Amino acid sequence: MKALIGTVVDAEEVRRNHAVIVSGDTILDVIPAGELRDYSVDEVYGGRGYLILPGLINAHTHVAMAKFRGLGEDVPIETWLNEVIWPAELEWTPGEIRKWALLGMAEVMADGSTTINDHYFFADEIARAAEELGIRAFVGQTMMDLVDFPIAAPEEGFSFFRRWEGKSELVTPTLAPHATNTVSLELMREVGELAGERNALVHVHLSQSRGEVREVKRRYGISPVEYLQKAGVLGDNLIGVHGIYLGDSEVSTYAKSGATLVHCSLSMAKLEGRIAPVIELARGGTNIALGNDSPNPVGLMDIFTEMRFAAVLNKVWRKRTNVASAKEVFRWATVGGAKALGLKTGLIKPGYLADLILLNARKPQFLPGENPYSHIVYSARGSDIELVVVNGEVVYRNGVFLKLGKTLEELWEDVL
């Protein structure tokens, strides 16, 4: 067994000077640190001045896009996609995807995320890299049939799902239709049918540009949310991403459906100058999760940064300061992501999966320490993480990825 000692913080409570006992892949107990002598513990981490948090969940990302960081700056999303990103993506090879995905996931892990939900090409390589690193990964092979994009052939998306279904303890395959304007209604219905049969997650970009909304309305005479509803995928297993152009009626329909909306405030603010109506969605009952989208355009893979921007940008967008509190945003990054992915994580309780991070708060920005939620959202950085535990195993410690025996600098060398 192992123990993490410090101030235990999840979205429900703060417990100072406590120990989290890990046995196998689960949390066995959470106790006052003084009672640790009652347990036979082999490994102890942390101590005074440390925060123990649930592993953060990056609920929408494209980790291999670390290769494109800095390309296509300061242009609208459709220009960014059509003129910069898609042409570059057509040059991918499986071997390159493997290297860049591994580097991207390592960056994610070092910054405190224990789980990713990835949507990209050559998904087998991404899944294998996830197992190699030891991160918990939901992986979908991007599918499109309304765009000439050979590496997004629908049959490969379905085949990937079937190849990986039930195969791995850490990797869960998803169905990943690209977006409402790049996937035909017929293909989306096929996705919905398989998702219903296999209880699979459907991960899709939704209302991320004006062009997407216009195209769906031109083609079908309905909104993107109505399109998802008509295709039979709008429900508990749907993870929609972005949603920045959802209208009032769509917000109401979506909120009643049981679907999750992944909020990627920084990427959408940068690409479209907008953010999603997550305050209204959450008020209606929608589960909200957070994602970083990709290293391009965001520049970082740090969910601490996403929490900070989500809290601030929602205040600016709504012109009110009493929305998106630090505690609520922290909930989106933990409990919200866990609920979206069907994981028993996000809280630090006995019986929950031991996906945990240890943050070194022995630094000025964490004083005076009276409001840990504020410090986590507004002061913490991914570089404050010293230890990452996934599925009960220590996979990252003091800059070293233990399953690889490498640092970020060494992985950086590997892609050059």
Side-chain angles (χ1 to χ4, degrees), residues 283-304:
R283 188 180 301 133
T286 301
N287 180 52
I288 306 297
L290 292 186
N292 82 286
D293 203 4
S294 76
N296 177 329
V298 172
L300 294 168
M301 303 280 272
D302 184 352
I303 293 296
F304 288 103

Side-chain angles (χ1 to χ4, degrees), residues 108-125:
V108 167
M109 180 185 283
D111 285 340
S113 291
T114 54
T115 300
I116 63 166
N117 184 29
D118 196 84
H119 191 304
Y120 212 53
F121 314 105
F122 296 107
D124 286 291
E125 300 302 328

Side-chain angles (χ1 to χ4, degrees), residues 124 127-128 131 160-173:
D124 286 291
R128 292 185 190 111
E131 288 191 315
F160 168 78
F161 175 82
R162 292 187 173 99
R163 279 197 298 275
W164 281 84
E165 187 181 22
K167 177 181 176 181
S168 171
E169 190 173 11
L170 287 179
V171 176
T172 301

Side-chain angles (χ1 to χ4, degrees), residues 391-403:
N391 216 39
E393 180 179 0
V394 177
V395 290
Y396 174 81
R397 186 183 184 193
N398 295 327
V400 179
F401 301 94
L402 299 181
K403 290 175 75 70

Side-chain angles (χ1 to χ4, degrees), residues 247-262:
D248 291 344
S249 63
E250 290 180 283
V251 167
S252 176
T253 300
Y254 202 86
K256 294 173 184 175
S257 72
T260 289
L261 194 287
V262 182

